[in-house]
Each structure stands twice: as C-alpha cells, then as structure tokens.
Amino acid sequence: MGGCMHSIQDQALHSEGEPIPSAAPTSTVAPRKMPKSISISKQLTSIKALGKGSDLEKAIATTALIFRNSSDPDGKLGKATAKNLLQTQFRNFTEGQETKPKYREILSELDEHTENKLDFEDFMILLLSITVMSDLLQDIWSAKIMK
C-alpha cells in the first residue's frame, strides 16, 4: 500500500531489538484492548483531550479505536479482519466498487501484503485509497449543501 509497509514503531528498533534513543515514543496505537462491550462513543468520551475535539479529530480517533479494538496483541490486523472491517465499518465506501479495476487492485495489494498483517499506518492508507476512488466520495463532492 503506497510504499509505507513499516510503522514508525518498526523503524524505531535497532537490529538488536532495542529502541533508538532519539526515536519518538511509538505508543500511537496501544496493543492493549478495550473490552468489546464498551462502545466506541463511550471510549471516545473517556479520552479527555477529545472533549473539545473537532469533528476531524473525533473521526480519526474513532478509526484508531476501531483499529485497536480489532487488532491483535501486537497492534496489527490480519488480512481477513481488515477485509471484514471494510465490509462492516466502511460499507458505504466499498459498496458497488467490486467491479472497478482500481478497487480490485487495492484489494489485491492487500492480498499480496508480505507480512499477512497490517499496522495502523497501512490500514489508514487502505482506507484512504478506497475513499479516494469510491463513488460515495464523488457524491460528497457533488452534494449541494443546504444553508
């Protein structure tokens, strides 16, 4: 996906497996999981910094929480889980795209991903790639805003 197959966390490790002293903390996606019974909206409200957050900040935080809640203990998504999230959580962007060559290319890149798992960066690239080519985005661009 777009040439970004390794996370910042992966890049912050020496060959011996120790962190590079000058590397920034890499805790953007904590591997711990919230209990599945806690809704995303409740998880969002528990993050104090988002109390006055913008819609965009809340959208990205929601994406991060969904990713974290679905990821394995290493903070990665298996390909099957990623595809399931696309079908269940991103349905309005993926619906009707199955016949488009670009959509098939994006999914084939997912199938060809060498690590069999996606980190958060790769997942975001996947979402953005699908968003950009989707019919829904075209509808959003052409929508007349009611004032």
Side-chain angles (χ1 to χ4, degrees), residues 85-123:
L85 283 176
L86 290 176
Q87 293 169 342
T88 59
Q89 296 288 322
F90 215 56
R91 174 180 53 246
N92 291 314
F93 282 92
T94 60
E95 236 171 36
Q97 306 306 303
E98 299 84 3
T99 60
K100 287 186 173 183
K102 185 66 178 169
Y103 180 79
R104 288 194 306 240
E105 179 184 327
I106 292 167
L107 287 187
S108 72
E109 285 181 24
L110 177 61
D111 288 334
E112 294 169 6
H113 195 279
T114 56
E115 293 181 14
N116 291 326
K117 292 188 178 185
L118 299 174
D119 58 21
F120 183 67
E121 179 180 348
D122 291 331
F123 183 68

Side-chain angles (χ1 to χ4, degrees), residues 34-44 46 69:
M34 285 278 207
K36 297 229 184 239
S37 61
I38 299 175
S39 71
I40 293 294
S41 60
K42 285 185 181 180
Q43 290 179 51
L44 282 173
S46 73
N69 289 347

Side-chain angles (χ1 to χ4, degrees), residues 1-15:
M1 313 270 141
C4 295
M5 294 301 174
H6 298 288
S7 70
I8 294 168
Q9 187 173 21
D10 294 339
Q11 295 168 2
L13 296 177
H14 280 282
S15 57

